């Protein structure tokens, strides 16, 4: 027996050529003409009951039960159910009972077959010898003498047909058969719908179960990962609950706080109690953050070690998803880092101390070089005082004493005394060993003072000095003594460089200017032998010197002072000859929009 569904799968219009017209195989009106058999409610009800039972017991076989019951109630030779395939191109014989039972799985095309005609018109139809129009049905044996079909709807949509067939002349269908078929069809439609809903529900349940299983798997994977992290002992980890209780922890955490696993298991550990009292307020802020966002960003605090010592730590925490008040905390012991930081701070402090000592020593050395000049600076007003005092004595001894002249002489003595006092104050300031301090420094004034101290030395070496000081420069923020030390060094270096020259002018020019609107530029230029190009890079290195008695510390100290003032010091060649040393210092905030100077924290230069 061949399966018509396979032989006629794609019937096209050409099949219609020579086929009997639809009307010639239709005899639906016969149903009404034929004497109707009496209604057998009992049989009908028992069939419906059987369907209900099938639905309850095994919804999968509901369609087959329907075919069986239709066959039985209608006393047909074959009965079945055709359903549209998903692509709606064919009817598929989903369940068959009776003689055509072996054809189950077969079917007819949607566009050319009895089922299609029934669905097109959406009415019941009675056919006789349909193989005359649909030749492929000749292979479905035994042939159908009559076939009665009704549309089958599910959720308002026609999805197939229910049919009964008589293969001989024993059985002719009538109006009662149609009523029964339609009644059972309606019931089957409801049942089918229920089955479908159950199927959909099953799919939904399966999907939900799959999702739940995935979540369970993920959770257990996560747990495993947390456990691995816990066991890895790279950082301290503990699992906390709402009141601060620690319900699990790794060895690293236990050793950070100095407790044993037994202490943990006995439930005696609580991170709140482990926290040093002054950190509790910070903790509460983080707990709030944790409650709002689910995580507490890492922050520093101190735990109390069992021994009573404090342990600096970095702590971050996260709440477990879905858990009301439970989570994990990560703890990094900062003891070593803090120790290293303290050591670094101490080294820095010592460096600054040495730097200041050195700067001081350099200042003293430079002042030593200027001692003759300085002595002259002090001697000069003292000499003037002596002269004035002698003059005053003479005016006193005169007859009559000239009190007016005496007064003028005394005024000059006071003036000279004040001058000497000022010079001594400046020298004392330069000699004093004092920590750096921030003050307003008028750079032009600082230059004039330094020049006053050095000018004797400069003049002795046959050097002429010219100053080109810019007007209305704002006061700089810095350490006056340190900045004067820089100026002194540059002046002494320039003077020394020129003093060795046999010929040529010995000119020293000191100028100040505003540079690029937010810096003050100080330039010291000389007409000495200049700088060796290969030594340019090394000039500012500590211990670089070309002088037989030089220390080579001056320029290195100058640079570190200028850099500590957020400035820059550099050297270039002077044209046509000599050297130019320049440094730039930032103007204070407000004058120029620049940043504050901060000093005393320079890193050692290599
Ligand atoms: P020192 O004066 O003890 O040598 P410095 O650090 O002050 O140490 O100077 C380093 C070197 O830089 C000097 O030995 C000299 O060779 C060079 N130098 C500094 N200033 C000048 C200058 N104005 N002209 C030429 N060379 C200079």
């Amino acid at each position: 027996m061949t399966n018509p569904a396979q032989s006629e799968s794609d019937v096209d219009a050409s099949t219609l050529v020579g086929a009997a017209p639809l009307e010639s195989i239709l005899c639906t009106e016969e149903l009404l003409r034929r004497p109707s058999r009496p209604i057998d409610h009992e049989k009908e009800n028992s069939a419906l009951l059987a369907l209900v039972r099938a639905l309850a017991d095994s919804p999968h076989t509901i369609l087959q039960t329907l075919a069986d019951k239709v066959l039985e109630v209608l006393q047909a030779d074959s009965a079945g159910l055709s359903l549209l395939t998903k692509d709606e191109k064919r009817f598929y014989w989903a369940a068959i009972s009776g003689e055509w039972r072996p054809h189950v799985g077969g079917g007819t095309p949607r566009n050319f077959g009895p089922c299609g005609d029934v669905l097109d018109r959406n009415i019941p139809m009675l056919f006789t010898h349909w193989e005359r129009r649909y030749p492929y049905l000749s292979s479905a044996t035994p042939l159908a003498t009559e076939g009665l079909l009704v549309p089958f709807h599910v959720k308002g949509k026609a999805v197939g047909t229910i049919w009964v067939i008589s293969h001989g002349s024993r059985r002719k269908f009538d109006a009662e058969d149609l009523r029964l078929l339609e009644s059972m069809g309606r019931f089957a439609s409801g049942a089918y719908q229920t089955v479908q809903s159950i199927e959909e529900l099953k799919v939904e349940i399966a999907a939900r179960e799959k999702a739940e299983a995935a979540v369970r798997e993920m959770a257990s994977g996560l747990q495993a990962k947390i456990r691995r992290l816990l066991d890895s002992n790279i950082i301290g980890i503990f699992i906390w609950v709402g009141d601060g209780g620690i319900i699990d922890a790794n060895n690293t955490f236990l050793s950070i706080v100095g407790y044993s696993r037994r202490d943990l298991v006995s439930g005696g550990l609580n991170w709140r109690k482990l926290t040093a009292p002054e950190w509790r307020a910070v903790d509460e802020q983080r707990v709030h953050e944790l409650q709002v966002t689910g995580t507490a960003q890492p922050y520093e605090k101190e735990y109390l070690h069992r021994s009573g010592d404090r342990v600096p730590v970095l702590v971050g925490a996260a709440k477990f998803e879905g858990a009301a008040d439970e989570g994990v905390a990560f703890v990094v012991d900062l003891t070593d880092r803090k120790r290293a930081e303290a050591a670094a701070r101490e080294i820095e402090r010592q460096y600054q101390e040495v730097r200041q000592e050195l700067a001081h020593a350099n200042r003293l050395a430079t002042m030593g070089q200027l001692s003759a000049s300085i002595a002259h600076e002090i001697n000069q007003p003292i000499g003037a005082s002596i002269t004035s005092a002698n003059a005053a004595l003479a005016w006193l001894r005169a007859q009559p004493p000239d009190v007016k002249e005496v007064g003028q002489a005394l005024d000059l003595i006071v003036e000279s005394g004040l001058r000497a006092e000022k010079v001594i104050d400046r020298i004392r300031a330069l000699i004093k060993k004092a920590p750096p301090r921030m003050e307003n420094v008028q750079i032009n004034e600082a230059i004039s003072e330094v020049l006053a101290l050095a000018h004797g030395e400069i003049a002795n070496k046959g050097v002429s000095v010219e100053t080109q000081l810019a007007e209305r420069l704002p006061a700089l923020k810095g350490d006056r003594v340190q900045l004067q030390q820089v100026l002194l060094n540059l002046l002494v270096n320039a003077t020394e460089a020129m003093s060795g020259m046999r010929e040529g002018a010995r000119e020293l020019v000191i100028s100040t200017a505003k540079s690029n609107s937010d810096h003050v530029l100080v330039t010291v230029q000389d007409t000495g032998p200049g700088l060796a190009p290969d030594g340019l890079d090394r000039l500012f290195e500590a211990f670089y010197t070309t002088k037989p008695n030089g220390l080579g510390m001056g320029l290195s100290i100058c640079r570190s002072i200028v850099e500590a003032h957020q400035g820059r010091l550099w050297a270039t060649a002077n044209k046509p000859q000599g050297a130019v040393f320049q440094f730039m210092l930032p103007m204070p905030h407000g004058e120029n929009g620049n940043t504050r100077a901060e000093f005393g924290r320079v890193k050692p230069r290599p």
Side-chain angles (χ1 to χ4, degrees):
M1 195 183 302
T2 50
N3 192 334
Q6 278 141 26
S7 56
E8 44 54 39
S9 56
D10 276 317
V11 180
D12 58 28
S14 62
T15 323
L16 286 164
V17 180
L22 176 63
E23 301 313 320
S24 71
I25 59 163
L26 265 185
C27 52
T28 317
E29 342 47 280
E30 283 291 314
L31 290 172
L32 296 171
R33 273 191 225 121
R34 289 175 187 163
S36 187
R37 62 195 173 99
I39 296 174
D40 187 346
H41 282 301
E42 208 183 310
K43 207 162 196 175
E44 185 182 348
N45 287 345
S46 83
L48 292 179
L49 209 67
L51 282 173
V52 171
R53 218 171 279 134
L55 183 64
D57 294 346
S58 80
H60 290 110
T61 58
I62 181 81
L63 297 181
Q64 187 55 47
T65 309
L66 176 69
D68 292 347
K69 290 298 153 192
V70 167
L71 185 85
E72 184 188 319
V73 175
L74 273 82
Q75 295 160 24
D77 298 323
S78 296
L81 203 100
S82 303
L83 292 179
L84 269 173
T85 52
K86 240 191 202 130
D87 59 6
E88 299 197 355
K89 285 192 170 156
R90 294 179 54 245
F91 285 97
Y92 152 78
W93 294 341
I96 302 179
S97 189
E99 296 199 39
W100 264 25
R101 173 108 205 209
H103 293 304
V104 77
T108 54
R110 170 66 182 83
N111 64 350
F112 189 58
C115 293
D117 291 331
V118 168
L119 279 207
D120 286 345
R121 298 192 186 185
N122 198 21
I123 50 166
M125 286 185 176
L126 182 66
F127 295 87
T128 175
H129 286 287
W130 49 32
E131 73 281 358
R132 285 189 285 139
R133 176 167 166 78
Y134 313 111
Y136 56 85
L137 283 175
S138 319
S139 58
T141 52
L143 292 180
T145 312
E146 276 194 358
L148 174 61
L149 283 77
V150 297
F152 179 48
H153 292 92
V154 172
K155 288 186 189 161
K157 194 178 170 220
V159 295
T161 60
I162 304 176
W163 39 265
V164 282
I165 296 172
S166 84
H167 296 298
S169 50
R170 178 188 66 82
R171 184 79 176 85
K172 294 246 187 249
F173 299 115
D174 59 26
E176 173 59 7
D177 292 314
L178 178 61
R179 191 193 67 76
L180 277 172
L181 200 56
E182 283 184 322
S183 151
M184 292 179 79
R186 270 193 304 278
F187 181 85
S189 159
Y192 185 75
Q193 218 163 286
T194 311
V195 171
Q196 259 194 342
S197 303
I198 290 171
E199 288 303 321
E200 279 164 16
L201 207 64
K202 272 191 194 155
V203 170
E204 223 173 86
I205 289 170
R208 199 177 313 145
E209 274 175 354
K210 207 169 147 192
E212 278 171 6
V215 168
R216 268 199 304 278
E217 201 181 303
M218 232 170 76
S220 74
L222 196 67
Q223 247 171 4
K225 277 181 194 151
I226 291 179
R227 173 54 50 199
R228 265 207 301 284
L229 202 63
L230 268 167
D231 295 342
S232 68
N233 286 323
I234 298 166
I235 55 170
I237 298 173
F238 65 81
I239 309 287
W240 49 265
V241 287
D243 61 348
I246 296 176
I247 55 170
D248 198 359
N250 66 351
N251 291 341
T252 306
F253 176 74
L254 292 174
S255 82
I256 288 174
V257 288
Y259 286 88
S260 68
R261 192 148 289 279
R262 197 175 303 156
D263 298 320
L264 171 74
V265 175
S266 67
L269 295 188
N270 183 301
W271 64 260
R272 282 197 162 92
K273 289 182 192 149
L274 285 173
T275 299
E278 63 272 31
W279 291 97
R280 288 184 189 152
V282 179
D283 270 348
E284 291 319 312
Q285 273 175 15
R286 298 306 170 136
V287 167
H288 178 71
E289 178 190 330
L290 186 69
Q291 270 154 3
V292 175
T293 66
T295 54
Q297 291 305 310
Y299 65 106
E300 288 189 18
K301 60 180 266 186
E302 281 177 325
Y303 279 133
L304 287 172
H305 190 270
R306 183 180 215 148
S307 65
D309 288 348
R310 277 150 192 274
V311 192
V313 287
L314 185 75
V315 181
K319 241 163 97 164
F320 285 145
E321 193 96 348
D325 228 353
E326 198 178 321
V328 61
F330 305 95
V331 183
V332 179
D333 188 346
L334 298 180
T335 309
D336 288 346
R337 205 186 82 184
K338 293 276 170 196
R339 216 173 273 150
E341 277 172 8
R345 270 199 305 277
E346 178 55 19
I347 289 171
E348 171 72 13
R349 193 193 61 73
Q350 286 174 4
Y351 164 74
Q352 291 303 339
E353 218 174 82
V354 170
R355 198 181 73 87
Q356 279 168 33
E357 292 281 352
L358 254 175
H360 182 239
N362 167 266
R363 224 153 51 225
L364 292 185
T366 315
M367 298 285 280
Q369 281 172 281
L370 298 176
S371 55
S373 173
I374 290 169
H376 173 76
E377 275 302 296
I378 301 167
N379 282 339
Q380 208 272 334
I382 290 172
S385 294
I386 292 166
T387 309
S388 297
N390 282 331
L393 277 177
W395 291 118
L396 266 180
R397 283 187 195 123
Q399 288 301 332
D402 190 334
V403 179
K404 199 177 158 210
E405 288 288 353
V406 170
Q408 278 175 356
L410 286 176
D411 281 346
L412 282 175
I413 291 172
V414 170
E415 205 178 284
S416 300
L418 288 175
R419 237 172 68 211
E421 192 183 30
K422 219 168 167 183
V423 173
I424 288 166
D425 278 352
R426 277 182 218 144
I427 295 163
R428 194 179 278 150
L430 282 166
I431 288 172
K432 212 164 74 181
K433 198 164 93 184
R437 65 189 194 121
M438 276 284 216
E439 60 200 321
N440 284 335
V441 183
Q442 293 290 349
I443 193 74
N444 288 348
E445 229 172 67
I447 291 172
S448 302
E449 283 179 15
V450 167
L451 269 178
L453 285 182
H455 106 275
E457 173 76 8
I458 295 170
N460 271 346
K461 298 268 163 68
V463 175
S464 69
V465 185
E466 188 188 329
T467 49
Q468 298 169 358
L469 305 180
E471 284 173 18
R472 287 191 297 280
L473 282 182
L476 301 176
K477 282 264 175 257
D479 184 294
R480 183 191 188 87
V481 170
Q482 286 191 2
L483 292 176
Q484 285 189 322
Q485 177 172 0
V486 175
L487 290 161
L488 263 178
N489 264 306
L490 298 182
L491 289 184
V492 169
N493 274 351
T495 309
E496 273 187 349
M498 289 187 284
S499 68
M501 291 194 9
R502 295 228 174 118
E503 48 195 47
R506 297 179 179 186
E507 286 165 4
L508 183 66
V509 182
I510 304 176
S511 57
T512 52
K514 260 190 196 178
S515 120
N516 58 34
S517 80
D518 56 4
H519 280 75
V520 168
L521 178 70
V522 180
T523 306
V524 177
Q525 67 196 101
D526 64 57
T527 52
L531 307 160
D534 56 335
L536 259 184
D537 289 343
R538 306 187 51 209
L539 279 183
F540 298 95
E541 282 175 15
F543 307 114
Y544 173 78
T545 180
T546 55
K547 300 170 193 167
N549 298 319
L551 257 179
M553 288 305 294
L555 287 179
S556 146
I557 289 169
C558 286
R559 185 172 256 184
S560 87
I561 289 175
V562 171
E563 287 180 355
H565 283 76
Q566 314 290 305
R568 210 158 64 78
L569 166 67
W570 69 99
T572 48
N574 193 13
K575 294 213 173 103
Q577 78 166 75
V580 182
F581 283 82
Q582 286 178 296
F583 64 89
M584 271 201 330
L585 294 171
M587 288 196 256
H589 209 64
E591 305 289 346
N592 49 13
N594 211 310
T595 49
R596 77 246 113 89
E598 184 185 298
F599 48 84
R601 306 213 38 94
V602 215
K603 293 268 170 275
R605 298 190 63 76

